[in-house]
Amino acid sequence: MSGSTDDRSVGVDGPLLITSVDAAGRERSRLIPRARVDSVLRTGVHASISSVALFTPTDDPVDALGRDAVIGDLLLAPDAERIARLGERGPAWTPADVREIDGTPFAGCGRRAVRRQQTRLAERGLSARIGFEIEFTLDGGEAVDPSPAHTGPAYGQHPILQNEAFATELLTEFDAAGVPALQLHAEHGHGQFEVALDARDPLDACDDDVLARLVIDRVALRHGLRADFSPIPRVGAASNGMHIHLSLARDGAPLFSPDSDDAPGSAGKAAIAGILAELPALTALLAGSVPSYERLRPGRWSGATVCWGPGNREAAVRYVASTAGGSARGANIEIKPGDASANPYYAVAALLAAAENGIARGAVPPAPVLVSPTRLSEGERAAVGIRPLPSSLTEALAELDRSVVLRAALGDALIDLYLAVRTPHG
């Protein structure tokens, strides 16, 4: 099993919540009684193939990869090295790899996909760090008639004071669970907040994202609130994103540190070029729901156009130079089109693959865009190579289907599974 150790259940004095994330981007979980924790950490737990891999986002089973959704099981292999505590009285939690019953890797396992890309980077002397920014809308009242937990001002003090009990408990629970939160602040929309997580090893960062959302949800419920991570939480509400920050290094030297022109050096630019080249296909993995494409519109700061630029929040790829007095390692790029409908493991694995491909090819990106693309005419955008992202999930899935780079990196089986599960049905 993953994370083997002679004392696997250290710190587990109650039930253990085991979570995997499927192609639909849903967290699928099992709560294991304390009496069974030791054996489950050794041998894993069986689960129906549909409930682990073949459900759509609306929980409808679909056949895929030549497998019947109602026949057979898969194995959840909990990672004992990632066990976290959910508060003083809560259960422990751990992510799980998905495997075939015989213990071999399941082609659609997102954690496996991230590990494979990390290995490919390491073979080139490269390493990556990933940090997530998670936006969510906090509501009170009845689900059919929600009331936002604050009405602004955007980024202000009052929304935090208005929700002080929730906010302070959330940060305390993050500390207890080992979630590397950097800050919590009110966002632009009514009831909207954002949590920024520190950059970590890609697999740890993806696990952090899943755990952070679990903790947010759990604390909100305890305060009689609901946390909504969906890209469009309700009609007229501000859209929620899931921004991904990526930094790369070669033999320890950061690739995105500014060169003489206050832009990344050639290897960093090649990584950006690789991501831009695959961005239409990547969008299917970053924004995996039909409502995602309501969010991906100019003017929403969602990065709805294929371009990059320093500090440009309307560009799909925002270059972030290191801050004054900070390490050059702080320089990174922010990929903006994603939202919480994504499977974070799939999204990160694909981003790493695209960046690696750009570096391998020595790709050169177009010139950085120094103004909001919305201020340019259609002709001006075309002249500098700015183009829109796919305008629908169907269009994005078609781009993913024909991506040679992502199919080669993630495998035909994972891509075909994703297409089967995410293609709008009915």
Side-chain angles (χ1 to χ4, degrees):
M1 291 297 100
S2 173
S4 61
T5 174
D6 292 335
D7 192 2
R8 299 165 184 267
S9 58
V10 170
V12 181
D13 53 9
L16 177 65
L17 185 66
I18 298 173
T19 298
S20 64
V21 183
D22 65 8
R26 298 287 193 181
E27 300 88 358
R28 309 294 181 180
S29 299
R30 302 286 191 280
L31 187 62
I32 308 301
R34 177 63 188 88
R36 292 200 62 232
V37 167
D38 292 337
S39 64
V40 166
L41 288 173
R42 285 194 302 271
T43 63
V45 60
H46 285 217
S48 66
I49 189 170
S50 55
S51 67
V52 175
L54 298 183
F55 272 156
T56 69
T58 54
D59 294 340
D60 297 309
V62 294
D63 299 342
L65 306 182
R67 304 172 79 154
D68 190 314
V70 301
I71 298 174
D73 290 350
L74 291 171
L75 188 69
L76 294 177
D79 188 341
E81 295 180 1
R82 275 298 317 221
I83 291 175
R85 286 304 305 264
L86 300 178
E88 292 184 4
R89 299 182 181 179
W93 171 89
T94 188
D97 285 60
V98 182
R99 298 181 179 174
E100 301 287 355
I101 290 301
D102 64 5
T104 57
F106 173 61
C109 177
R111 297 184 90 232
R112 172 176 178 260
V114 174
R115 285 196 197 94
R116 289 177 65 189
Q117 295 311 310
Q118 288 183 245
T119 298
R120 290 182 60 168
L121 288 175
E123 289 170 350
R124 294 185 178 276
L126 298 168
S127 61
R129 291 174 67 81
I130 293 287
F132 285 89
E133 292 177 356
I134 305 168
E135 294 178 342
F136 62 96
T137 300
L138 200 62
D139 286 325
E142 299 296 326
V144 294
D145 186 24
S147 58
H150 71 78
T151 56
Y155 311 103
Q157 177 174 271
H158 184 70
I160 294 175
L161 297 178
Q162 192 175 349
N163 295 277
E164 184 175 356
F166 163 81
T168 54
E169 184 176 343
L170 179 63
L171 295 183
T172 299
E173 294 290 287
F174 278 159
D175 286 342
V179 175
L182 294 173
Q183 64 174 0
L184 167 73
H185 66 262
E187 259 289 344
H188 184 265
H190 289 181
Q192 191 178 36
F193 288 91
E194 178 182 283
V195 169
L197 305 184
D198 200 4
R200 301 231 284 163
D201 162 276
L203 182 59
D204 284 334
C206 292
D207 291 339
D208 290 341
D209 173 66
V210 176
L211 177 56
R213 284 187 277 165
L214 169 61
V215 174
I216 292 167
D217 210 8
R218 188 169 179 270
V219 174
L221 289 170
R222 282 215 301 273
H223 286 267
L225 300 165
R226 290 180 307 281
D228 192 336
F229 302 92
S230 58
I232 303 293
R234 58 177 179 268
V235 175
S239 61
N240 290 321
M242 180 190 73
H243 307 152
I244 303 175
H245 287 259
L246 167 65
S247 61
L248 291 165
R250 174 179 281 137
D251 299 325
L255 299 191
F256 291 128
S257 56
D259 209 340
S260 58
D261 59 354
D262 292 325
S266 58
K269 287 178 179 175
I272 291 172
I275 291 172
L276 292 176
E278 292 302 317
L279 201 53
L282 279 166
T283 301
L285 297 167
L286 292 164
S289 71
V290 172
S292 298
Y293 296 84
E294 176 66 26
R295 172 180 172 268
L296 287 180
R297 294 187 176 184
R300 286 189 179 270
W301 292 13
S302 60
T305 49
V306 181
C307 63
W308 75 285
N312 194 335
R313 288 180 169 80
E314 278 289 342
V317 178
R318 181 172 77 100
Y319 174 59
V320 185
S322 53
T323 56
S327 166
R329 292 181 181 277
N332 65 86
I333 56 173
E334 179 188 24
I335 294 85
K336 297 190 65 67
D339 64 59
S341 68
N343 176 316
Y345 303 95
Y346 286 15
V348 165
L351 284 171
L352 296 179
E356 183 214 359
N357 180 262
I359 293 170
R361 293 188 292 109
V364 178
V369 177
L370 304 180
V371 299
S372 171
T374 60
R375 297 183 180 180
L376 302 177
S377 68
E378 185 175 343
E380 288 172 327
R381 291 194 295 271
V384 293
I386 298 174
R387 62 191 192 279
L389 289 174
S391 61
S392 69
L393 178 59
T394 299
E395 184 183 340
L397 291 171
E399 294 280 0
L400 177 62
D401 191 14
R402 53 181 172 257
S403 171
V404 174
V405 170
L406 297 187
R407 279 190 172 276
L410 275 63
D412 286 331
L414 186 149
I415 298 296
D416 290 343
L417 171 64
Y418 190 84
L419 294 171
V421 167
R422 293 285 189 155
T423 297
H425 297 83

